[in-house]
């Protein structure tokens, strides 16, 4: 059974940090990504990592502030979020996909349940 279990969301003040976790089970994946969605907004790509190589990519709005990483032993992907801003407030989703998965939600076949991140001013 394929499962992506997310954790680590919470409420922080602007400038604070959070670390999101996504534990994967059931199979291996080519890429694991983080997306976010605010109420009334479309789902937005944040970052992804190629599992085998560790190659990563970030949307411009989070470059220099967020870091995606993986722990092979734990089959877990992390998103370290620093210098958080109110506009980072959203539900964050972990997604996993196979070859070709990049920045579009439709390119990922498996999704976690989401974890809420709220950043106050």
């Amino acid at each position: 059974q394929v499962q992506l279990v997310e954790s680590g969301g919470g409420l922080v003040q602007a400038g604070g940090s959070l670390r999101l976790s996504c534990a994967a089970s059931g199979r291996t994946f080519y890429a694991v990504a983080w997306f976010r969605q605010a109420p009334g907004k479309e789902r937005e790509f944040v970052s992804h990592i190629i599992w085998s190589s560790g190659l990563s990519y970030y949307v411009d709005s989070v470059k220099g502030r967020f870091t995606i990483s993986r722990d092979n032993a734990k089959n877990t992907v992390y998103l370290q979020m620093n210098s958080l801003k109110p506009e980072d407030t959203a539900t964050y989703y972990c997604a996993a996909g196979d070859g070709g998965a990049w920045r579009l939600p439709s390119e990922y076949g498996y999704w976690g349940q989401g974890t809420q991140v709220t950043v106050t001013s």
Side-chain angles (χ1 to χ4, degrees):
Q1 181 181 354
V2 173
Q3 283 191 314
L4 301 176
V5 180
E6 301 168 348
S7 62
L11 188 151
V12 296
Q13 293 183 330
S17 298
L18 284 173
R19 186 198 194 203
L20 306 184
S21 298
C22 174
S25 63
R27 55 159 289 190
T28 58
F29 303 96
Y30 170 74
V32 177
W34 288 97
F35 289 80
R36 64 188 181 186
Q37 188 166 26
K41 301 288 182 62
E42 65 184 9
R43 191 161 296 188
E44 175 191 24
F45 172 85
V46 177
S47 179
H48 93 324
I49 186 167
I50 307 301
W51 190 268
S52 61
S53 67
L55 184 153
S56 60
Y57 182 83
Y58 304 88
V59 70
D60 286 345
S61 61
V62 308
K63 285 181 179 178
R65 300 189 298 121
F66 291 9
T67 302
I68 191 169
S69 63
R70 70 193 189 318
D71 185 326
N72 290 327
K74 295 182 177 180
N75 244 124
T76 299
V77 171
Y78 303 96
L79 185 68
Q80 179 67 46
M81 305 186 295
N82 299 325
S83 301
L84 284 162
K85 304 175 181 179
E87 51 262 46
D88 295 318
T89 295
T91 301
Y92 282 70
Y93 296 91
C94 177
D98 297 316
W102 190 26
R103 297 194 296 168
L104 298 178
S106 61
E107 295 169 341
Y108 293 84
Y110 302 93
W111 294 83
Q113 78 283 1
T115 185
Q116 179 65 37
V117 172
T118 302
V119 185
T120 61
S121 300

